């Protein structure tokens, strides 16, 4: 009796691992290419890396990631990119992002007026005219 339970537990574990592996394979092949959405230009990316990426990326700040995740930018639709970019321009222009505490601790990572302009010009270029 004891022997049977042990081997059936092992069997269930094995099934579980196989299904995890299988699912990962599926997830990789089903990653769709998103033609309409545009990659972030180098100068904008530089500003984000300086001031935003620490929080707004995979393994960043959970709350920040849920609002804007720059690691997942390529997966956003063109509409989502446009609205997120607009929000990012607004946050930096108003001095709400990066957060006050971060500015205090990392003065060299505070966006300059040029950085803000770069971000906002880019955000403007993404807006979809209707
Ligand atoms: C120290 C971490 C940190 C840094 C650095 C940071 N953010 Fe954030 N950001 C957050 C957190 C946390 C939230 C979610 C909570 C909130 O809205 O205040 C957030 C939210 C946002 C939002 C959504 C606001 C809303 O109300 O929907 C935008 C847009 C944003 N950040 C843009 C930026 C941009 C652009 C930068 C760089 C210039 C930046 N953030 C840098 C932590 C950060």
């Amino acid at each position: 009796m004891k022997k049977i339970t042990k081997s059936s537990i092992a069997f269930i574990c094995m099934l579980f691992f196989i299904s995890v592996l299988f699912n990962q394979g599926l997830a990789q092949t089903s990653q769709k290419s998103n033609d309409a959405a545009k990659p972030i230009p180098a100068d904008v990316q530089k500003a984000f890396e300086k001031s935003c990426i620490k929080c707004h990326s995979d393994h960043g700040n959970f709350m920040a990631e849920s609002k804007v995740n720059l690691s997942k930018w390529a997966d956003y639709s063109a509409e989502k990119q446009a609205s997120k970019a607009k929000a990012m321009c607004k946050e930096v222009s108003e001095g709400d992002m990066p957060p006050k505490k971060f500015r205090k601790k990392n003065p060299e990572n505070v966006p300059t007026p040029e950085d803000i302009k770069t971000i906002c010009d880019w955000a403007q270029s993404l807006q979809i005219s209707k």
Side-chain angles (χ1 to χ4, degrees):
M1 186 60 195
K2 212 173 175 191
K3 212 171 175 185
I4 292 171
T5 15
K6 246 191 189 166
S7 60
S8 54
I9 288 173
F11 183 63
I12 288 168
C13 285
M14 218 170 72
L15 275 184
F16 177 72
F17 278 119
I18 289 171
S19 73
V20 167
L21 286 178
F22 188 65
N23 272 335
Q24 272 178 351
L26 277 184
Q28 268 167 10
T29 49
S30 75
Q31 240 175 26
K32 56 183 181 326
S33 65
N34 198 340
D35 293 338
K38 299 185 188 75
I40 299 175
D43 54 343
V44 180
Q45 183 66 26
K46 227 168 111 192
F48 286 160
E49 272 168 19
K50 183 171 109 182
S51 311
C52 323
I53 212 113
K54 254 186 214 145
C55 304
H56 290 280
S57 62
D58 285 346
H59 317 296
N61 172 303
F62 177 76
M63 279 296 291
E65 248 175 78
S66 67
K67 299 268 185 181
V68 181
N69 185 344
L70 291 168
S71 308
K72 298 240 157 43
W73 189 262
D75 298 338
Y76 290 176
S77 67
E79 289 81 16
K80 190 163 175 184
Q81 289 191 348
S83 76
K84 292 286 174 191
K86 200 171 170 182
M88 287 156 102
C89 163
K90 183 166 174 280
E91 295 289 326
V92 285
S93 303
E94 293 172 357
D96 290 336
M97 281 288 153
K100 265 207 199 86
K101 217 165 124 191
F102 178 88
R103 288 167 185 261
K104 233 180 181 170
K105 269 202 204 152
N106 311 276
E108 73 284 2
N109 292 3
V110 173
T112 60
E114 292 84 70
D115 293 335
I116 295 172
K117 187 173 181 317
T118 304
I119 293 171
C120 289
D121 285 350
W122 163 75
Q124 191 57 45
S125 78
L126 291 185
Q127 299 312 308
I128 298 152
S129 47
K130 287 194 180 119

